[in-house]
Amino acid sequence: MSQCILDHFKHQPLWLLALFSLGAISVLKSSLALLNWIYVSFLRPSKNLKKYGSWALITGPTDGIGKAFAFELAKKGLNLILVGRNPEKLKEVSDAIQAKFGKVQIKNVVMDFSGDLDEGIRKIKEAIEGLDVGVLINNVGVSYPYARYFHEVDEDLLRNLIKVNVEGTTKVTQAVLPGMLARKKGAIVNIGSGAANVIPSDPLYAVYAATKAYIDQFSKSIHVEYKKSGIDVQCQVPLYVATKMASIRKSSFFVPSTTGYARAALRAIGYEPRSTPYWPHSVLWALANTLPDSAIDAWRLPFNLKIRKRGQLKDAKKTT
């Protein structure tokens, strides 16, 4: 039977055999990609994060994803350094974590990422001195209050977007990295955004999307620089998560709660340099990749224009 099949192929034109081969290779690649996605999403074991070190540093830990990260890391037995601008909220979160996970040690560092960064970095260096900080979660970030054209972005907002999202993440990484290098182990997680990777553009959020594109490229580059030094660097790319920043109150299948996202995020740490940990988000990303950029842009602009209109109406009510 097999000989008959071979004889049949021998009599086919070369172009048809080439076409068949390309099709077979394409099917094989797609099948392997699907199997890898299933393994990564559902079967791959998470790493023991305590092997990186006994301490984790989290920026922006008093709300949203950062707060969920803090609770989930404490649940895994890591001690915490919480870096945020509000001392009362920091104490509230640290007290709640210690009430739930009594043996966890916590240090609070008060730092305003839109203020004096040099002073804040000095405080971080002082707090981590002598500690084996094995995990760094660069979560702090700001977005627009609501969608707006680039020429409508005022100077304060423009400065804060770049200072918090770009300079803050860069300088905190620079402060924590030497200790990891000395111990030859560590994991750095920088929180990116689907605004920079999943969609071709994010009109009316241009500067925010651009700062997250910086985070993505920064992460990939230092991943290559320090991989051989035992340091795993990863940019995590969430889509919508139910947070105040996203103005989403209720979670759903495609919009996880902050806890749901953080649990998925911890399972991804230490693997690929760019990750979309919450698997329904990766499905949406794959679907987006099947559409032409022009189609996504044609949807995104009117979508964000509606957000802009709602924001302007709220502003108008505040002034009346």
Side-chain angles (χ1 to χ4, degrees):
M1 181 67 176
S2 58
Q3 186 61 44
C4 291
I5 294 173
L6 288 172
D7 290 340
H8 174 74
F9 273 105
K10 285 179 182 178
H11 293 90
Q12 299 303 317
L14 188 60
W15 67 266
L16 186 60
L17 292 175
L19 193 62
F20 176 83
S21 299
L22 288 173
I25 292 170
S26 179
V27 170
L28 180 62
K29 285 179 65 178
S30 298
S31 300
L32 290 174
L34 177 61
L35 288 173
N36 182 67
W37 177 80
I38 291 171
Y39 172 72
V40 168
S41 300
F42 305 107
L43 303 175
R44 186 173 68 182
S46 58
K47 295 197 175 184
N48 180 3
L49 300 182
K50 292 183 78 172
K51 287 186 176 180
Y52 289 114
S54 61
W55 287 82
L57 189 151
I58 309 157
T59 64
T62 58
D63 200 6
I65 292 173
K67 184 177 179 180
F69 263 117
F71 273 86
E72 291 302 312
L73 286 166
K75 188 177 180 180
K76 290 189 176 294
L78 276 82
N79 301 313
L80 305 175
I81 301 161
L82 306 180
V83 183
R85 66 179 179 179
N86 189 313
E88 288 77 20
K89 286 186 176 181
L90 283 172
K91 185 178 185 307
E92 183 182 318
V93 171
S94 60
D95 287 349
I97 291 171
Q98 286 185 318
K100 194 169 184 178
F101 310 103
K103 295 182 180 179
V104 172
Q105 298 178 61
I106 302 178
K107 285 190 172 189
N108 292 336
V109 177
V110 178
M111 175 179 177
D112 184 355
F113 281 83
S114 63
D116 189 342
L117 282 180
D118 290 339
E119 173 62 16
I121 295 300
R122 184 194 65 77
K123 289 181 181 179
I124 288 176
K125 287 180 177 179
E126 188 177 273
I128 66 176
E129 188 175 357
L131 302 181
D132 58 335
V133 179
V135 178
L136 167 60
I137 310 291
N138 278 312
N139 164 76
V140 70
V142 295
S143 184
Y144 294 20
Y146 58 83
R148 59 192 65 186
Y149 284 99
F150 175 62
H151 73 272
E152 296 172 336
V153 176
D154 61 67
E155 285 299 318
D156 287 342
L157 178 56
L158 181 62
R159 182 182 65 251
N160 287 342
L161 283 162
I162 296 170
K163 192 170 186 179
V164 176
N165 295 359
V166 174
E167 196 176 352
T169 292
T170 305
K171 287 194 170 182
V172 171
T173 303
Q174 196 173 42
V176 176
L177 186 59
M180 293 180 173
L181 277 172
R183 294 184 296 274
K184 296 183 179 179
K185 58 182 180 179
I188 298 171
V189 176
N190 299 322
I191 304 300
S193 172
N197 300 99
V198 178
I199 53 179
S201 68
D202 201 7
L204 280 68
Y205 286 98
V207 181
Y208 171 76
T211 63
K212 290 302 183 178
Y214 169 88
I215 295 299
D216 181 61
Q217 186 67 4
F218 172 63
S219 302
K220 288 189 294 182
S221 297
I222 62 172
H223 162 79
V224 176
E225 288 182 38
Y226 297 106
K227 182 67 178 175
K228 290 183 179 179
S229 301
I231 299 169
D232 296 318
V233 183
Q234 183 181 73
C235 177
Q236 292 196 355
V237 184
L239 277 70
Y240 284 121
V241 178
T243 63
K244 288 180 182 177
M245 182 184 286
S247 299
I248 301 173
R249 294 181 181 180
K250 283 190 175 184
S251 60
S252 61
F253 180 72
F254 285 112
V255 182
S257 65
T258 54
T259 298
Y261 177 81
R263 285 174 180 167
L266 261 58
R267 290 196 297 270
I269 293 177
Y271 289 104
E272 49 277 317
R274 181 200 283 159
S275 172
T276 304
Y278 185 65
W279 72 263
H281 284 174
S282 64
V283 172
L284 291 176
W285 193 340
L287 290 173
N289 281 338
T290 66
L291 299 173
D293 289 358
S294 58
I296 298 176
D297 289 342
W299 157 74
R300 191 65 180 176
L301 179 58
F303 180 86
N304 286 347
L305 281 169
K306 289 179 182 178
I307 296 174
R308 174 177 176 266
K309 187 174 182 180
R310 288 197 298 268
Q312 288 176 326
L313 289 172
K314 284 184 180 180
D315 279 353
K317 286 180 181 179
K318 288 177 184 177
T319 57
T320 57

